[in-house]
Amino acid sequence: MSARHLSPNDPAFAGLPTADHEWTSDDWQQLLHWLIESGILTYKDVTALVLGHLNPPQVGTSIASKKTFQAHFPPRKTWQAVRAWFYQQRGKCEDCGARLELQADHVETRQDYGDQADRLDNMLLRCRRCNVIRRPSHAQGGLTFLTAEAALMWILLIKRPRTYQEFEGMCRDYGMTMANIRFQEAWAMAHWLEDDGSYTIDPSSSL
């Protein structure tokens, strides 16, 4: 498939909702096709990334390695118990049903219960996004259905800010609370795409 550079005003995105949580499955499919047709990604890139995020690395082993969990089991028996718990899970986020980027999360939080929260009957699987937005510091995270790094790229590619200042403002308006350096890193994509002729940065941009 030949690459097709799309402009910020490409009709493919005309009329789409301005918030990602309002997008339909067809809208996301359209974005995926655009990412591939524009030459930013290939089907192999997307599929390999998804396969990698379907694998829940170190979810069980991270629990089994903690002394607060080990205290509930005989010596060298923690992993067997954790493995049994792990296999009994649904393999989906308890909140949104996603299968990608699953993490072990507490029902009763460590913030409220300390080490007493570290027991298997108090654990369940949540995706990384749903895990993070439960934290008081990320109260506005529910404005997006995406992880922070995905939301940064969604804002960049869909809203098409022409300056770094505009990009940073959009990210803050979207409820992102991370340090500005994360926005500055993400803004690199605008420079890379501009080099390819598929993005325009205004000369007034501070970065």
Side-chain angles (χ1 to χ4, degrees):
M1 181 182 298
S2 60
R4 178 169 67 91
H5 292 314
L6 304 182
S7 72
N9 298 317
D10 193 280
F13 294 105
L16 288 182
T18 58
D20 69 83
H21 64 267
E22 298 174 350
W23 276 31
T24 66
S25 180
D26 287 343
D27 296 334
W28 290 110
Q29 185 179 34
Q30 193 168 315
L31 175 57
L32 175 60
H33 287 320
W34 174 76
L35 287 169
I36 293 169
E37 290 174 5
S38 65
I40 295 175
L41 295 171
T42 67
Y43 280 111
K44 178 183 177 181
D45 293 334
V46 175
T47 305
L49 183 64
V50 170
L51 290 174
H53 285 293
L54 276 173
N55 174 36
Q58 300 181 338
V59 173
T61 52
S62 65
I63 294 176
S65 65
K66 294 180 179 177
K67 294 186 182 299
T68 48
F69 283 96
Q70 294 172 2
H72 297 287
F73 305 100
R76 295 183 294 279
K77 295 296 183 181
T78 305
W79 169 241
Q80 289 91 327
V82 172
R83 184 179 60 201
W85 166 84
F86 198 31
Y87 287 4
Q88 290 169 0
Q89 303 307 300
R90 297 170 54 241
K92 298 179 181 180
C93 174
E94 288 294 329
D95 292 347
C96 72
R99 288 191 181 274
L100 300 180
E101 297 188 295
L102 294 179
Q103 299 179 342
D105 193 21
H106 295 79
V107 178
E108 297 175 346
T109 67
R110 283 188 55 84
Q111 182 178 1
D112 293 332
Y113 292 89
D115 289 349
Q116 295 181 16
D118 285 352
R119 60 185 196 278
L120 288 180
D121 64 357
N122 188 45
M123 304 300 293
L124 47 71
L125 295 180
R126 285 191 172 96
C127 70
R128 184 156 61 96
R129 173 197 171 271
C130 288
N131 188 357
V132 167
I133 64 173
R134 296 179 71 234
R135 303 171 189 170
S137 61
H138 291 70
Q140 290 186 290
L143 294 175
T144 174
F145 279 174
L146 303 171
T147 59
E149 57 263 48
L152 288 169
M153 290 297 99
W154 184 85
I155 290 171
L156 187 75
L157 296 173
I158 300 303
K159 295 182 178 294
R160 292 281 177 158
R162 294 173 64 90
T163 68
Y164 170 75
Q165 303 92 294
E166 186 181 5
F167 177 58
E168 182 181 312
M170 288 179 176
C171 293
R172 292 299 183 199
D173 289 343
Y174 223 61
M176 297 186 184
T177 59
M178 71 274 284
N180 288 351
I181 193 171
R182 294 284 302 280
F183 305 145
Q184 295 169 19
E185 287 177 332
W187 186 245
M189 180 60 71
H191 284 272
W192 298 337
L193 294 179
E194 186 178 49
D195 290 342
D196 286 343
S198 55
Y199 203 96
T200 301
I201 299 176
D202 192 87
S204 64
S205 180
S206 61
L207 294 176

